[in-house]
Amino acid sequence: MAKLVEQYIDIAKKRNPGEPEFHQTIEEVLTSLEPVLEANPQYIEAGILERLIEPERMVTFRVPWVDDEGKVQVNRGFRVQFNSAIGPYKGGLRFAPSVYSGVVKFLGFEQIFKNSLTGLPIGGGKGGADFDPTGKSDAEIMRFCQSFMTELYRHIGPETDIPAGDLGVGAREIGYMFGQYKRLVNEYSGVLTGKGIPYGGLQGRTEATGYGIVFFAREMLAHFGETLENKTVAVSGFGNVAWGTVAKLNELGAKVITISGPDGYVYDEDGVSGEKIDYMLELRASGKNIVEPYAKKFKSAKFFKGEKPWGVKADLYIPCATQNEIHIEDAKKMVENGCRYLCEGANMPTTNEALQFLHDNKVVIGPSKAANAGGVACSCIEMGQNAGHTVFTPAQVYEQLEQIMINIHKQAAEASAKYGYDYDLVKGANIAGFLRVAEAMMAQGIV
Ligand code: GLU
């Protein structure tokens, strides 16, 4: 079976040259499916894997816009519609200079399994542009979003493909894109999620990803009879995901000692709590993409320029910045510091080599496609709210979110045990996510 899986990985590498992030997720997911394929030869016969690794559709487009100096700028936009076996394509849009086809495909592929794990009817998609929002004026952001949507609108729709936010795309960008879509299509629908509350957004969506991550971490610890109370936690990032994570960790009695940005990390010995959590929002809104001002404002904090927080001693590590922020050297430091739990908030924050090292050293890992699924799950609830022309209360949303996260953990743990991996949530999440999609693909014929 290992040989066959190798062949599929080779096909993906040959067909998508120069896209290491995409190769990385293919390798990570497919190798964990070996025992499933062994037990289900019908999947091989039906070409499930060959079909799964090839996006159903991908569009690349020009995004021209005019900056504040009157100069013409051109970016490249993307949308991958990866798999629609269990529902319309669903997944965020990322605006960052690092966005290219390999990043979009890796995110889209991960999204298939993540969305499946939620148990909700959403397929996998993702998109974005190589646009850097750092330092852009509000008017520039609006012009860019409008131009981006002027092409994207023809590929999406509330029953076809429902984008949302990701890095660099928050409520403001969603608002501009929603306005432009509505103008172009003359339809008021739930075509985007993560909208503002006054125009169809879901109360609780903003914090959903972070809250969900903490619920997932709580379940991981509970498996070993532990709680988050008084645990020290090293968090990376300072954006929306990190913010929700830090807020919920505080609520559950844990102490957050770090946050980070592209400029370095902040170590706060008194903990990131109270007004400091609100200050994270100010940092984000500044548009400067740096965390150093935190250490200038709060005496208990120290700033470490150009460094990541993985060298600090903590009970639990929660990366919430971006992909591949934990390399093998970081993993080694974490193990030296007695790390026992890693719960991934960002998408694919750990390299495959680091994952293997952590696993071999008995670190319990909550993989991102399970742990951060609370965001997209609440996006699907937002779709339901819009389609039903109704409004849900935050209490209704939080309750569903918590149940969904408990269920994702349970599915991953059970699938892992069933296929001989003991308590390996990385493998279990891949397997549980895959099985639902594979069954749906089997039922729908060769499409
Ligand atoms: N970008 C988020 C993710 O990685 C959310 C996607 C969504 O809400 O559609 O899952």
Side-chain angles (χ1 to χ4, degrees), residues 107-417:
L107 289 165
F109 189 70
E110 293 263 310
Q111 202 81 39
I112 303 170
F113 303 91
K114 182 193 310 198
N115 293 3
S116 169
L117 283 166
T118 65
L120 298 166
I122 36 178
K126 204 87 187 193
D130 59 354
F131 169 76
D132 187 359
T134 313
K136 298 287 186 299
S137 73
D138 194 52
E140 288 176 324
I141 297 279
M142 182 179 75
R143 288 197 293 276
F144 179 81
C145 289
Q146 290 178 338
S147 180
F148 184 83
M149 186 51 84
T150 301
E151 172 58 34
L152 186 69
Y153 89 95
R154 60 185 102 244
H155 308 289
I156 62 174
E159 304 296 338
T160 311
D161 183 355
I162 306 91
D166 196 85
L167 281 186
V169 179
R172 174 180 60 165
E173 291 74 19
I174 293 289
Y176 292 146
M177 287 191 273
F178 181 79
Q180 185 72 352
Y181 180 89
K182 180 164 63 72
R183 189 178 185 200
L184 288 163
V185 178
N186 193 26
E187 176 186 282
Y188 204 110
S189 67
V191 67
L192 293 168
T193 61
K195 298 184 291 299
I197 306 302
Y199 61 97
L202 184 80
Q203 299 187 71
R205 173 63 187 90
T206 315
E207 56 273 38
T209 311
Y211 280 23
I213 290 162
V214 180
F215 289 140
F216 194 88
R218 185 191 67 190
E219 295 305 297
M220 283 165 60
L221 268 69
H223 184 83
F224 298 95
E226 295 187 51
T227 69
L228 283 165
E229 188 98 33
N230 297 322
K231 292 281 187 297
T232 51
V233 189
V235 170
S236 70
F238 71 105
N240 174 54
V241 175
W243 167 76
T245 301
V246 172
K248 195 55 155 185
L249 282 167
N250 272 275
E251 240 180 88
L252 298 188
K255 182 176 172 187
V256 179
I257 50 172
T258 65
I259 56 169
S260 74
D263 56 331
Y265 81 91
V266 162
Y267 181 88
D268 188 339
E269 60 178 3
D270 288 354
V272 183
S273 59
E275 57 162 340
K276 298 173 191 168
I277 305 175
D278 300 331
Y279 185 67
M280 288 173 74
L281 297 175
E282 269 180 56
L283 274 180
R284 169 59 53 195
S286 78
K288 291 196 186 122
N289 210 13
I290 50 171
V291 290
E292 191 178 6
Y294 180 107
K296 292 206 172 109
K297 188 168 167 69
F298 301 109
K299 294 275 162 304
S300 53
K302 264 182 86 174
F303 177 65
F304 295 84
K305 195 179 161 90
E307 284 184 47
K308 289 183 281 180
W310 312 130
V312 308
K313 193 172 173 51
D315 299 308
L316 165 65
Y317 295 79
I318 310 189
C320 295
T322 189
Q323 71 267 11
N324 291 333
E325 51 170 320
I326 300 176
H327 291 260
I328 185 73
E329 316 79 66
D330 304 310
K332 284 184 180 158
K333 279 189 229 156
M334 288 159 97
V335 168
E336 270 166 35
N337 277 321
C339 166
R340 293 179 44 231
Y341 298 101
L342 167 72
C343 189
E344 297 181 333
N347 289 311
M348 202 172 76
T350 319
T351 66
N352 286 348
E353 194 189 2
L355 270 182
Q356 189 61 49
F357 180 82
L358 292 167
H359 176 78
D360 293 345
N361 283 279
K362 308 268 173 296
V363 175
V364 179
I365 303 160
S368 54
K369 53 177 94 63
N372 78 18
V376 76
C378 285
S379 273
C380 191
I381 299 172
E382 183 172 328
M383 286 159 63
Q385 171 177 280
N386 297 154
H389 303 281
T390 184
V391 178
F392 299 135
T393 63
Q396 284 173 309
V397 175
Y398 293 148
E399 199 185 309
Q400 275 195 71
L401 171 65
E402 190 166 356
Q403 268 319 311
I404 287 168
M405 297 316 298
I406 291 171
N407 193 39
I408 292 175
H409 173 266
K410 187 165 172 276
Q411 283 182 70
E414 283 176 2
S416 160

